[in-house]
Amino acid sequence: MIRDRAARTHLAPVRAVAIAAGVFALLFRPVAANAAPPVKPQQVSSDPFTNPTSQHQTEVEADNFSFGSSSVVATFQAGRFFSGGGSSGIGFATSTDGGGTWSNGFLPSLTVFSTPPGPFGRATDPTVAYDSAHGQWLIATLACAAPPGTCFTATSITVSRSPDGLNWSAPVILASGSQDHEWIAGDNGSGNQHFGRCYVSWADIAGGVLATSSSDDGGQTWAPRASATGLFAPQSVVQPNGTLVVVGVTGGQTSFYNADSSNDGGATFTSAQISPVVGTHGSTGMRVTPAAGIEVDGGGKLYVTWSDCRFRAGCSANDAVLSTSTDAISWSPLARIPIDAVTSGVDHFIPGLGPIAPRAGVRPMWCSRTTTSPTPRAPCAPAG
């Protein structure tokens, strides 16, 4: 269930950064080549749940996706449970005017706290994508066992659909058992053989593999899953040429950041190593893991980032690091994003990337704090 989603953003021409401190807020700024106007926080949602088993007025681990010139949907957990993982419900916030105004709500028929109620006891790890071929917004969620179960008892992968980002269907269940870390991506390249195919990839814990299921009808039905090498905390994108690329961390005695790619619509996968896992400086008091994040720019170039301490003496702090590829097979040597000096004593974590559509390039962002501070030095903010 651990996923640093707050760093993920897609830009098309709006930029979204999700930060929460009791409530959920989005910071928006227009994308411009040489301009960076001040961001203005907007509260776009608040936790409506009241069950005593959750910490309320919390909306966390957000994901967002924008498509076209003005539409963006964000999704997030609301009412995070004190123990056992998961939250009371999954929220959404939708803007159709580039972040000027927002509408919000919560997915129906998902948890016992939803309106109307659903079969699951709690939910977590929401991630959102858009299917332009079928005009559908899709939110994938990790739904957890009915009460008194928890997210450590049993889990299911679900997808909720919406034609407008406001009115959402009851969830479709893709898989149940011991699942985790799902991610959703859509093929919006109109010239591709698989244009309109959407993919959900997740970690099958019991099977020890990466599972991927696809849909060709806007998320109504899903094909039997295909399996690839086991990846922890997968994230995925689809290149303009239709290649699905999933990144994550392998297990075993020696772990690697790997990329699994499929150029046949998710039927088979080729695995490539990006870099060995070296280490990470622990962020005391913060729920942070060095999971890999991936983005693709308008030209099809892939960018993968995570937090890593290999460039700091004695693993004294983390840097945001970056590797790139055009084919998901050959990856550039890992590079440190030069935010500051390696002797700065500042820890950088939860890095994310925003593609500056439709042109080539991405813009990184991250959280920072001094290594001696028990709290963040500054909120997560765009940088670079």
Side-chain angles (χ1 to χ4, degrees):
M1 287 71 63
I2 299 172
R3 180 66 58 82
D4 299 323
R5 296 174 183 270
R8 185 199 191 213
T9 182
H10 288 257
L11 312 178
V14 292
R15 175 174 301 275
V17 180
I19 302 296
V23 295
F24 176 82
L26 288 180
L27 311 181
F28 265 81
R29 66 173 59 187
V31 172
N34 300 306
V39 295
K40 180 182 179 181
Q42 297 183 60
Q43 180 177 327
V44 298
S45 178
S46 61
D47 172 19
F49 301 107
T50 59
N51 57 298
T53 47
S54 294
Q55 179 178 342
H56 291 294
Q57 293 307 304
T58 57
E59 296 190 306
V60 298
E61 294 191 358
D63 183 29
N64 56 77
F65 192 91
S66 66
F67 187 83
S69 61
S70 58
S71 296
V72 59
V73 172
T75 184
F76 41 88
Q77 300 180 52
R80 180 77 184 181
F81 274 73
F82 289 108
S83 63
S87 61
S88 304
I90 299 300
F92 65 87
T94 300
S95 175
T96 58
D97 60 3
T101 58
W102 292 86
S103 299
N104 61 62
F106 295 84
L107 297 184
S109 306
L110 182 61
T111 72
V112 294
F113 309 105
S114 303
T115 303
F120 299 102
R122 49 185 82 184
T124 187
D125 285 8
T127 177
V128 60
Y130 185 66
D131 175 1
S132 62
H134 301 96
Q136 292 289 320
W137 290 96
L138 304 172
I139 292 179
T141 303
L142 184 70
C144 306
T150 71
C151 290
F152 304 112
T153 304
T155 51
S156 297
I157 306 297
T158 69
V159 173
S160 302
R161 308 166 60 246
S162 173
D164 54 11
L166 300 171
N167 299 286
W168 293 86
S169 71
V172 177
I173 299 175
L174 278 64
S176 296
S178 181
Q179 321 298 335
D180 209 349
H181 308 294
E182 94 295 340
W183 201 266
I184 191 167
D187 187 343
N188 291 314
S190 58
N192 296 332
Q193 177 184 358
H194 301 293
F195 170 54
R197 180 166 293 183
C198 296
Y199 304 92
V200 177
S201 299
W202 68 91
D204 179 336
I205 304 301
V209 297
L210 172 72
T212 297
S213 183
S214 62
S215 173
D216 289 326
D217 57 8
Q220 296 183 73
T221 60
W222 293 83
R225 69 186 196 181
S227 297
T229 57
L231 291 180
F232 171 84
Q235 288 194 24
S236 59
V237 295
V238 180
Q239 291 180 284
N241 65 5
T243 299
L244 170 66
V245 184
V246 188
V247 297
V249 181
T250 64
Q253 185 174 1
T254 302
S255 295
F256 290 86
Y257 288 96
N258 268 25
D260 287 353
S261 59
S262 174
N263 58 15
D264 57 7
T268 61
F269 286 83
T270 299
S271 184
Q273 291 181 0
I274 302 173
S275 170
V277 175
V278 172
T280 183
H281 177 264
S283 299
T284 306
M286 298 289 288
R287 188 171 188 251
V288 175
T289 60
I294 185 170
E295 281 299 355
V296 58
D297 69 16
K301 188 174 183 178
L302 299 161
Y303 303 77
V304 173
T305 186
W306 64 86
S307 57
D308 192 295
C309 67
R310 73 184 68 194
F311 296 101
R312 305 281 184 133
C315 191
S316 57
N318 289 321
D319 290 299
V321 297
L322 184 73
S323 181
T324 64
S325 176
T326 57
D327 60 6
I329 303 299
S330 299
W331 291 87
S332 67
L334 195 67
R336 173 182 179 268
I337 299 177
I339 302 167
D340 51 20
V342 294
T343 56
S344 67
V346 176
D347 200 16
H348 306 292
F349 51 97
I350 319 182
L353 300 167
I356 308 174
R359 58 191 175 89
V362 296
R363 189 177 183 185
M365 55 200 73
W366 54 84
C367 295
S368 298
R369 69 167 187 186
T370 59
T371 54
T372 57
S373 172
T375 58
R377 185 191 67 174
C380 297

